[in-house]
Amino acid sequence: MAAPLIPQLLLLFILGTANFFLIGVVSTTITITNQCDYTVWPGILSNADVAPLPTTRFALQKGETRTISPPASWGGRLWGRTHCSKDSTGKFSCITGDCGSGQLECSGAGASPPATLAEFKLDGYGGQDFFDVSLVDGYNLPVLVSP
């Protein structure tokens, strides 16, 4: 078997849409998988025009997966935070991708560079789903998005 081109993938974001043939019911899931050899703390930021996701404070151990179900027309970004810890006062921070909230929950704050971003817009222009991987905020981990 051939060796992978990228030896470690931070997070494998899988955008899955299941259409049920009931009057316009569509369910979308985003599956986040940590394929690194270390713990990664996903950061999630919803776009300004949509409600934040209810569950955004979690860590993923090596090989662990978490699935989230965003609402219809959700848009936002996900990124991986690394080397995170709490100090003696309980303030949470990360070496890369820190959102500056001082907590595991980013509370509406985005990533501090460097942070590789996975960006999504569900039910966007023409009813289509859009996604990309962006290095606009720098690069801290390899990211793969697969529909």
Side-chain angles (χ1 to χ4, degrees):
M1 188 157 116
L5 294 177
I6 300 174
Q8 297 176 346
L9 293 177
L10 151 69
L11 299 172
L12 173 64
F13 296 104
I14 300 173
L15 178 62
T17 302
N19 292 315
F20 298 98
F21 297 102
L22 303 171
I23 309 173
V25 175
V26 177
S27 175
T28 300
T29 60
I30 298 175
T31 302
I32 307 168
T33 302
N34 178 5
Q35 294 184 352
C36 292
D37 289 333
Y38 44 85
T39 302
V40 175
W41 292 259
I44 303 173
L45 176 64
S46 296
N47 291 346
D49 61 341
V50 296
L53 297 178
T55 306
T56 62
R57 52 181 171 257
F58 57 92
L60 292 175
Q61 304 299 320
K62 174 185 175 183
E64 192 174 10
T65 295
R66 171 74 65 100
T67 299
I68 56 177
S69 298
S73 301
W74 182 80
R77 51 180 47 181
L78 294 87
W79 66 95
R81 299 177 287 169
T82 64
H83 309 288
C84 301
S85 62
K86 284 185 178 181
D87 67 14
S88 61
T89 66
K91 180 182 175 191
F92 183 85
S93 64
C94 304
I95 301 296
T96 70
D98 188 51
C99 55
S101 70
Q103 305 169 35
L104 181 57
E105 172 71 52
C106 284
S107 302
S112 295
T116 309
L117 306 174
E119 301 173 314
F120 299 89
K121 177 58 181 147
L122 306 178
D123 193 23
Y125 180 76
Q128 297 182 39
D129 297 335
F130 296 89
F131 63 89
D132 66 80
V133 173
S134 173
L135 301 179
V136 70
D137 286 347
Y139 173 88
N140 68 332
L141 295 164
V143 172
L144 173 68
V145 177
S146 176

